[in-house]
Amino acid sequence: MKKEISRRAFIVSTCKILAAGVLMPAGGLAVLEKASFAENGSEVTDWRKVWEGKEWGFVVDTHKCIGCARCVKACKQENHVPLDKEVYRTWVERYRETALGVEIDSPNGGLDFPPLEETTGKQFFVPKLCNQCKNAPCVQVCPVGATYRTGDGVILVDDKRCVGCRYCIQACPYGARFLHPETHVADKCTWCYHRVMKGMEPACVTVCPVGARKFGNLNEHSEVREIIETERVRGLKPEKGTKPMVFYIGLDEVVM
Amino acid sequence: MDKWTGGESPFFQRAYVRVGMLLLGVLVVFGTVRQLSIPPSFGEYGRYRGDSIGENVARKVSFALGSDDCKKCHQNVFQLVMQAEHKGMDCQSCHGPAVNHVSNPASGAPKVKGDEELCGSCHRQIAGRTEELITTVMPLWHSGGVECGKCHDPHQPRNAIGGRTL
């Protein structure tokens, strides 16, 4: 027997089937998301509550820095970056004005400045680290969503998601990123987010013997906020439009 | 009737049914691939895996909170340091990461050698490190190769050489 189907009935049933096809995977996705939310390993179920009222800021006082690179060493120890490899989450640059122009060096990230006596001309140290830009190019270019800026203003790397394409390393105008020689994924300064979330300061701030590095919440009455409000500070490469969140005191115009 | 419009042919042999089935198949494949390739917590807070935040935060700490942790047991040394030039410095600046020692004091003290390598990292004379910032020396000229710790106690650098305390 031939079964007749009206045009109307066909369109209705086709629409139903199509709708089911679209909604079924989406529905499955929603269920999965919920499950992961509940079985999330850490105690925090909603990071938005943790981030509320927090915006971290960093101040570097270039007048105080003595170029000892304790920060460089401590950072590597804290964040498991091999000490014998030429990769750094933070490093110290030295600027020297000579007859030939400005010389910039940072041997072994600042750990191996050679002994030198000549002291003519302007010379100073500039510690560098990730600027945790408000408008971060590294986050924009990541093709897999493996790097992101948290609600309290720190850019993190998802080392399970990162495919090591190095696009973010190219995108960062500050050269703050590198490919970790052991994990082979992008790595960078996180302002020691794992310490900050436990109520500690970043390791470099803790060990700095002269107090050239300061860290704090810009939304509270903190030392960092007071410095930014009362002193003349500026970020690196403002022309890049990245809105860097590391503020330098006494930054010379030659600093790049 | 024209065969392309269906007409008298059975339901599953009609052209528009076949196209519909093909479209449906494509959609199901797309949905499945999408579901499998996007990690579960992706998109919770933004275009990234929400679980990654917890993983980053769960990383192990190496440096302890600071000198306040050390002070609990080493009150005497802390008092010495507070009276001298290195006042205000964190113990771990020289002693290195100490979180294991703080949580389990028996697990090896973070002892360091007061030699040119350690003291020199701040006090070695190098270009850029000016006298207004810190006291610097040319280590070989200053001591002729004698270890810094032989004359200077890092906790009270000038005490042993008849110098001042603050």
Side-chain angles (χ1 to χ4, degrees):
Chain A
M1 195 182 103
K2 211 176 269 180
K3 200 181 165 195
E4 278 298 331
I5 182 162
S6 72
R7 176 176 290 226
R8 175 180 292 265
F10 171 77
I11 290 172
V12 167
S13 61
T14 309
C15 284
K16 275 182 184 167
I17 291 166
L18 284 180
V22 171
L23 290 178
M24 195 178 60
L29 201 67
V31 168
L32 259 179
E33 263 171 5
K34 262 209 176 119
S36 86
F37 200 65
E39 69 190 22
N40 192 350
S42 65
E43 318 86 72
V44 179
T45 49
D46 192 357
W47 285 98
R48 285 180 200 93
K49 282 177 194 149
V50 178
W51 295 334
E52 210 176 291
K54 292 193 188 82
E55 190 183 12
W56 303 112
F58 205 104
V59 166
V60 176
D61 191 340
T62 56
H63 287 310
K64 284 183 182 167
C65 182
I66 56 169
C68 67
R70 306 310 299 173
C71 49
V72 180
K73 194 174 176 188
C75 173
K76 286 197 162 198
Q77 289 170 325
E78 177 68 39
N79 295 298
H80 311 290
V81 179
L83 267 165
D84 54 347
K85 295 275 167 34
E86 295 245 325
V87 285
Y88 312 91
R89 283 181 170 215
T90 183
W91 67 101
V92 181
E93 289 173 1
R94 176 171 63 181
Y95 286 71
R96 285 185 295 151
E97 266 182 17
T98 65
L100 298 167
V102 181
E103 269 182 30
I104 311 163
D105 65 344
S106 180
N108 193 13
L111 283 163
D112 293 338
F113 283 120
L116 265 177
E117 271 191 292
E118 47 163 311
T119 47
T120 50
K122 189 157 65 178
Q123 36 196 319
F124 50 88
F125 298 99
V126 181
K128 295 270 183 84
L129 66 160
C130 173
N131 288 283
Q132 319 290 358
C133 307
K134 263 190 177 165
N135 184 17
C138 56
V139 173
Q140 289 172 25
V141 300
C142 181
V144 294
T147 191
Y148 52 94
R149 196 167 190 269
T150 62
D152 49 356
V154 175
I155 292 163
L156 299 176
V157 177
D158 180 351
D159 55 3
K160 285 188 186 156
R161 186 98 178 123
C162 177
V163 293
C165 74
R166 301 169 170 86
Y167 203 176
C168 56
I169 300 172
Q170 295 288 319
C172 176
Y174 306 102
R177 284 175 170 258
F178 57 92
L179 204 76
H180 195 288
E182 281 161 10
T183 60
H184 304 292
V185 296
D187 201 35
K188 65 179 275 294
C189 161
T190 58
W191 285 354
C192 283
Y193 199 63
H194 61 299
R195 293 173 63 78
V196 172
M197 286 291 114
K198 295 176 182 94
M200 300 166 154
E201 285 185 315
C204 58
V205 178
T206 301
V207 301
C208 182
V210 292
R213 290 167 174 257
K214 295 185 194 323
F215 174 84
N217 187 355
L218 300 177
N219 283 351
E220 281 171 6
H221 189 77
S222 59
E223 195 186 357
V224 167
R225 179 172 163 176
E226 200 182 313
I227 290 169
I228 292 169
E229 280 176 353
T230 57
E231 298 206 33
R232 280 171 289 178
V233 292
R234 82 167 166 95
L236 291 168
K237 299 188 183 178
E239 74 280 5
K240 297 281 180 193
T242 52
K243 297 190 184 140
M245 293 303 281
V246 175
F247 300 92
Y248 285 83
I249 305 174
L251 197 65
D252 195 277
E253 62 167 359
V254 301
V255 176
M256 293 184 286
Chain B
M1 212 181 248
D2 189 329
K3 69 171 183 173
W4 297 112
T5 57
E8 303 300 310
S9 59
F11 180 69
F12 285 107
Q13 282 174 19
R14 293 179 197 181
Y16 48 77
V17 175
R18 288 181 170 191
V19 171
M21 296 293 284
L22 187 70
L23 198 64
L24 186 67
V26 167
L27 275 170
V28 167
V29 168
F30 172 77
T32 313
V33 169
R34 187 178 185 276
Q35 187 177 331
L36 290 176
S37 57
I38 295 179
S41 66
F42 202 91
E44 243 169 68
Y45 302 99
R47 204 183 79 87
Y48 58 92
R49 214 163 49 88
D51 289 351
S52 159
I53 306 163
E55 288 164 20
N56 267 290
V57 171
R59 286 186 180 205
K60 214 180 136 285
V61 165
S62 299
F63 279 82
L65 183 63
S67 297
D68 286 347
D69 275 347
C70 314
K71 200 164 79 175
K72 286 173 193 156
C73 298
H74 303 284
Q75 185 68 41
N76 49 344
V77 184
F78 191 78
Q79 286 303 326
L80 289 179
V81 177
M82 286 307 283
Q83 291 163 9
E85 283 85 352
H86 288 158
K87 166 177 141 181
M89 266 175 66
D90 194 278
C91 306
Q92 296 168 106
S93 295
C94 299
H95 286 276
V99 83
N100 289 338
H101 178 67
V102 170
S103 58
N104 175 23
S107 73
K111 283 209 183 247
V112 285
K113 210 160 94 178
D115 58 5
E116 201 274 316
E117 197 193 332
L118 178 69
C119 306
S121 65
C122 290
H123 295 289
R124 190 184 301 127
Q125 196 175 318
I126 63 170
R129 193 176 284 161
T130 54
E131 281 295 322
E132 301 102 70
L133 291 174
I134 190 163
T135 310
T136 58
V137 293
M138 289 293 281
L140 264 178
W141 295 2
H142 178 76
S143 68
V146 176
E147 215 169 77
C148 313
K150 289 272 189 286
C151 300
H152 301 282
D153 172 6
H155 298 130
Q156 285 205 328
R158 289 174 199 261
N159 205 21
I161 51 169
R164 64 192 158 89
T165 52
L166 289 183

